[in-house]
Amino acid sequence: MKPSPAPAAPVHTPAPATHMPAEWETHTGTWMAFPPPNDTFGPVGSPTLDRARAAWSKVAQTIARYEPVTVVADPRDGAAAKEWLGDGISVVEVPLDDAWLRDSGPTFVHQPDGSLAAVDWIFNGWGAQEWAAWDKDQDVARAVAAGTAAPVLPSTLVNEGGGFHVDGQGTVLLTETVQLDPGRNPYATKESVEAEIHAALGTTKAIWLPRGLTRDYDEFGTRGHVDIVASFAGAGTVLLHRQGDPAHPDYEVYRELRTVLDGELDAQGRPLRIIDVPAPTALKDDEGFVDWSYINHYVANNVVILCAFDDPNDAIAKGILERAYPGRTVELVDARDIFAFGGGIHCITQQQPAPANGGAA
């Protein structure tokens, strides 16, 4: 049996004046994890594990054309990772339960002198869910931080990297069903969560969404991660997943979230500019209504790695993101297998920002 999440501790300030830069700011590199054999991916030699490793490797290889990529692999899988990933991608061995490094890995921030630090949220398997394992993954953030020589800033908040998104200018998107989830932070309030988030990320304004996409509340979901439904794409600009078909339950989710965001200002007092990104035309897969989303993309140096679904709306989303991120190449990478295992491209990547103001790496 897994341990229950600890009761909320008093608000803890990780460090004075830390600041999380926006994802589109310059990176030193990208961190990912290599899918291990487990209940999600299947045993060694299974077609499902091979599908996962092929999909993760394709993302890593695409990013590696633009910036360095380091992949964390369980010690039993180090040789396999090197074989799948090929030359030019670094592999480091760290014990793993799963491969969603956005969530189990650290959140990198700048310290006042511009050097890097690594926020270590408490990770408890997306709210101590029965299917999840985190005995090893709860230590991954510290292991990754050690690989960068960044000091660790421990947080008292149970949280994951996919559960928030920042604009780099003081605004953060959160979801009520994630940070306030009784399985994560049973005694938390919006005020206590905001105090911890702002201290860790250097934000000053939290915009709370009431929920995430419908599929995310199924048995193997995260209970509402924001990075699949809404993300910043520049100061004051939010990309929003728009499901336009009333037959899909996310049609009503979109309408609710659009109403919330339409009435919001960012931390600088600017009304948000909302850019609707149409969902893929496909409504269902073998498990039910899909959560396929173009919002779950990853922004790296000079590139946007965009989820593709062999869908007519892939090209439409590519055009929208090219306009949202001018000067960046938009690379479409098939993400259907990644979504089949429970996430998207953003979920399996974690940026390591470049130091600021001449600070140490």
Side-chain angles (χ1 to χ4, degrees):
M1 177 178 291
K2 300 297 180 185
S4 299
V11 170
H12 164 74
T13 303
T18 53
H19 167 74
M20 182 181 179
E23 191 171 305
W24 52 85
E25 297 182 44
T26 304
H27 298 179
T28 297
T30 294
W31 287 82
M32 296 179 62
F34 187 69
N38 63 15
D39 290 343
T40 298
F41 301 123
V44 173
S46 65
T48 52
L49 181 60
D50 286 351
R51 281 171 48 207
R53 290 177 168 179
W56 265 247
S57 296
K58 178 63 175 178
V59 172
Q61 291 158 358
T62 304
I63 297 170
R65 298 204 299 267
Y66 297 88
E67 67 182 359
V69 176
T70 303
V71 175
V72 176
D74 190 89
R76 60 188 162 170
D77 300 322
K82 292 174 183 177
E83 182 177 350
W84 276 94
L85 293 162
D87 296 336
I89 295 177
S90 300
V91 174
V92 297
E93 295 186 0
V94 174
L96 291 177
D97 293 304
D98 222 318
W100 308 99
L101 200 76
R102 173 69 52 179
D103 295 342
S104 60
T107 296
F108 288 105
V109 295
H110 287 146
Q111 300 188 93
D113 65 355
S115 62
L116 282 190
V119 177
D120 178 19
W121 313 104
I122 298 172
F123 181 72
N124 77 341
W126 303 277
Q129 299 202 51
E130 290 184 0
W131 53 266
W134 61 92
D135 291 342
K136 300 172 184 175
D137 281 356
Q138 65 186 347
D139 298 323
V140 166
R142 291 185 293 279
V144 170
T148 69
V152 173
L153 307 179
S155 173
T156 60
L157 192 69
V158 178
N159 196 24
E160 303 95 36
F164 60 88
H165 209 276
V166 303
D167 67 352
Q169 295 193 14
T171 318
V172 60
L173 297 173
L174 303 172
T175 314
E176 293 177 10
T177 56
V178 173
Q179 285 80 22
L180 301 180
D181 173 19
R184 289 175 166 97
N185 301 295
Y187 306 109
T189 63
K190 284 187 176 180
E191 291 74 20
S192 67
V193 168
E194 288 183 19
E196 181 72 0
I197 289 282
H198 293 336
L201 305 181
T203 49
T204 57
K205 169 71 181 286
I207 297 175
W208 289 88
L209 301 183
R211 58 160 297 137
L213 297 184
T214 302
R215 181 77 168 260
D216 214 6
Y217 297 89
D218 287 353
E219 180 182 1
F220 300 108
T222 70
R223 300 174 183 160
H225 271 188
V226 73
D227 70 348
I228 200 170
V229 68
S231 66
F232 287 107
T237 298
V238 173
L239 302 176
L240 179 63
H241 178 80
R242 178 175 67 80
Q243 176 52 255
D245 191 326
H248 195 298
D250 287 336
Y251 175 79
E252 294 298 336
V253 174
Y254 160 73
R255 296 177 67 187
E256 181 180 10
L257 300 187
R258 179 75 200 221
T259 298
V260 170
L261 291 170
D262 275 342
E264 284 287 356
L265 307 176
D266 71 6
Q268 308 301 317
R270 298 169 294 211
L272 294 179
R273 182 171 73 105
I274 313 302
I275 300 176
D276 288 345
V277 183
T281 61
L283 296 183
K284 290 186 175 183
D285 62 10
D286 292 340
E287 302 296 325
F289 287 106
V290 298
D291 58 352
W292 294 356
S293 171
Y294 301 110
I295 303 301
N296 200 265
H297 57 275
Y298 178 61
V299 185
N301 293 340
N302 301 314
V303 70
V304 177
I305 312 299
L306 177 60
C307 299
F309 305 97
D310 192 25
D311 189 275
N313 282 354
D314 290 356
I316 294 173
K318 183 175 187 289
I320 292 172
L321 267 66
E322 285 172 341
R323 294 188 291 275
Y325 299 103
R328 277 185 160 84
T329 300
V330 176
E331 295 263 15
L332 285 164
V333 178
D334 194 320
R336 286 173 292 179
D337 277 341
I338 304 174
F339 272 80
F341 291 114
I345 289 174
H346 196 254
C347 305
I348 66 174
T349 51
Q350 180 63 264
Q351 68 270 17
Q352 180 182 332
N357 304 320

